[in-house]
Amino acid sequence: MRVVAGKYRGKNLASPKNDDVRPTTTRIKETLFNIVQGYVTDSVVLDLFAGSGALGIEAISRGAKHVDFVDRSKDSIALVYQNLKGIDGEYTVQNVDFMSALRSAYVQKVKYDLIFIDPPYASPLGEIAVQTVFDLELLKDDGIIVYEHGSDKKFELADARYKARTKVMGTVTAEIVTHKTVAMMAGSFDPFTRGHEAVLDEALARFDEVVVACLINPDKNYTFSDAQRLAIAEEVCKCKKGARAIFSSRDAVDVAKEVGASVLVRGIRGDGDKAYENAMADYNREHGFDTLFIEVDGYRDISSTLVREQIENGNFKNVPACVIPLLNSEEFRNLA
């Protein structure tokens, strides 16, 4: 084994003398670091089930700020120290079981940019470790987990806050796990228009998930009932991968925290909207949320007021096509 790239490129690393520890091969290590290269510089790294320490040392070589090496095997820890000879950088080496290390990180309020999880392939410890990282929220919002396992094992991601993509490398498979990017599109949606749909489509192109939140403005008198506004939004979201609709009587920033959104999305139709929207954006920012303004050409003249008038006259051209059958249904009228 050797260091693939960076400051210590070409440095030979000692391998285990028996089959109890299965080190990540140089070829697989190179593939993994090609995937995570944007996460390494100045990162805080956890090398869990460190074995020979090859992954953490590669991270140091490529510019990681700090690496925690963890393994409960004394032989592995001795190998880590051997391979760290001549390596400058900030690191700790912990001869403890993985659960103790993760709980300690939680108590010390440590969060990681990059976490390597490389347990014995035949054991269930990898899935347990991944879920514990989720439960203790040890991964930074823009961080990444690399979980290695045998290609004969299937991995199912059980936490909706995260997403995973799979990289198969012969008999070895790596799960690349990151946080989902979630945005919330809040409004009265009385009703949801084609202009709103265009904003939603643009937001879905930028985020993994967009929550359409039908809220209540006490200064407005609604034409459609709360149940009807939600039903329309739900019908639209059924047609959009990554979109879902909810209803709430709470403040937008409170709802955003509840759904795990990192940003609020607002559609604007032109300069006339900007003064009000900028004031709302300032309020959101004071409460911890940035606002993304989306202005979609071709829909500047579409307002909810106009669309309500059109619907009253049997004109549905400015509502999303998928909701027209709903608007004409007895079920919808019964929601009034």
Side-chain angles (χ1 to χ4, degrees):
M1 290 194 303
R2 59 181 174 80
V3 177
V4 176
K7 182 178 180 180
Y8 300 103
R9 179 180 180 181
K11 175 181 169 62
N12 290 320
L13 302 175
S15 299
K17 295 180 180 180
N18 56 50
D19 295 331
D20 293 338
V21 177
R22 172 202 38 74
T24 300
T25 66
T26 299
R27 180 181 60 81
I28 290 176
K29 185 169 57 175
E30 184 172 13
T31 299
L32 293 179
F33 274 88
N34 284 340
I35 295 171
V36 304
Q37 60 184 340
Y39 294 85
V40 179
T41 302
D42 293 327
S43 61
V44 178
V45 180
L46 174 61
D47 189 355
L48 209 57
F49 308 98
S52 67
L55 292 171
I57 291 171
E58 187 74 35
I60 292 174
S61 182
R62 294 174 184 242
K65 180 170 63 177
H66 181 92
V67 177
D68 288 333
F69 296 89
V70 175
D71 205 296
R72 73 173 184 174
S73 165
K74 291 183 179 180
D75 290 339
S76 291
I77 290 299
L79 193 58
V80 170
Y81 276 121
Q82 180 181 344
N83 284 329
L84 281 169
K85 289 180 180 179
I87 299 288
D88 294 325
E90 293 187 18
Y91 57 82
T92 64
V93 181
Q94 303 176 50
N95 186 195
V96 297
D97 65 89
F98 77 94
M99 190 64 77
S100 295
L102 295 178
R103 288 172 177 163
S104 177
Y106 173 75
V107 170
Q108 297 176 47
K109 298 182 179 180
V110 176
K111 287 184 180 285
Y112 294 99
D113 300 286
L114 175 57
I115 299 176
F116 293 107
I117 299 177
D118 186 14
Y121 285 177
S123 80
L125 299 181
E127 287 87 345
I128 297 171
V130 171
Q131 188 58 54
T132 303
V133 169
F134 293 165
D135 293 342
L136 300 182
E137 298 184 351
L138 298 178
L139 187 68
K140 291 183 181 178
D141 289 344
D142 55 352
I144 188 168
I145 299 171
V146 178
Y147 163 43
E148 284 187 59
H149 60 83
S151 295
D152 58 341
K153 179 184 289 187
K154 298 297 182 184
F155 172 72
E156 294 185 6
L157 188 60
D159 195 311
R161 297 171 298 169
Y162 299 84
K163 61 178 180 177
R165 63 185 179 97
T166 301
K167 176 67 176 178
V168 179
M169 300 165 287
T171 60
V172 178
T173 291
E175 307 294 345
I176 312 300
V177 182
T178 55
H179 282 275
K180 275 185 181 177
T181 54
V182 181
M184 190 177 85
M185 180 179 170
S188 297
F189 305 122
D190 185 35
F192 200 96
T193 70
R194 288 183 62 201
H196 293 135
E197 183 181 29
V199 173
L200 175 59
D201 288 340
E202 180 64 26
L204 286 168
R206 305 187 190 196
F207 300 94
D208 297 314
E209 181 180 356
V210 178
V211 179
V212 177
C214 299
L215 305 182
I216 294 177
N217 185 337
D219 296 327
K220 288 186 176 181
N221 293 317
Y222 293 113
T223 297
F224 295 98
S225 70
D226 296 343
Q228 286 177 320
R229 291 189 291 124
L230 177 60
I232 294 171
E234 286 178 330
E235 198 68 22
V236 174
C237 290
K238 287 178 185 178
C239 309
K240 312 286 184 181
K241 183 179 179 180
R244 64 185 177 96
I246 62 172
F247 174 84
S248 179
S249 60
R250 300 172 65 196
D251 189 81
V253 293
D254 293 329
V255 180
K257 291 175 185 175
E258 187 176 284
V259 302
S262 60
V263 66
L264 292 168
V265 172
R266 298 289 294 178
I268 54 174
R269 290 178 292 140
D271 292 339
D273 287 346
K274 289 182 179 177
Y276 171 78
E277 293 295 348
N278 283 332
M280 288 298 300
D282 289 341
Y283 174 84
N284 296 336
R285 191 176 301 109
E286 290 172 2
H287 289 79
F289 290 93
D290 288 330
T291 302
L292 172 65
F293 292 123
I294 295 178
E295 188 171 359
V296 183
D297 292 337
Y299 297 92
R300 294 172 184 264
D301 296 329
I302 298 178
S303 68
S304 292
T305 301
L306 171 66
V307 174
R308 287 195 298 270
E309 293 173 355
Q310 291 175 334
I311 291 173
E312 288 178 3
N313 294 316
N315 182 348
F316 300 100
K317 71 176 184 178
N318 282 318
V319 296
C322 62
V323 304
I324 296 176
L326 173 68
L327 294 175
N328 285 316
S329 69
E330 183 68 26
E331 176 187 1
F332 181 75
R333 287 189 286 272
N334 290 338
L335 295 175

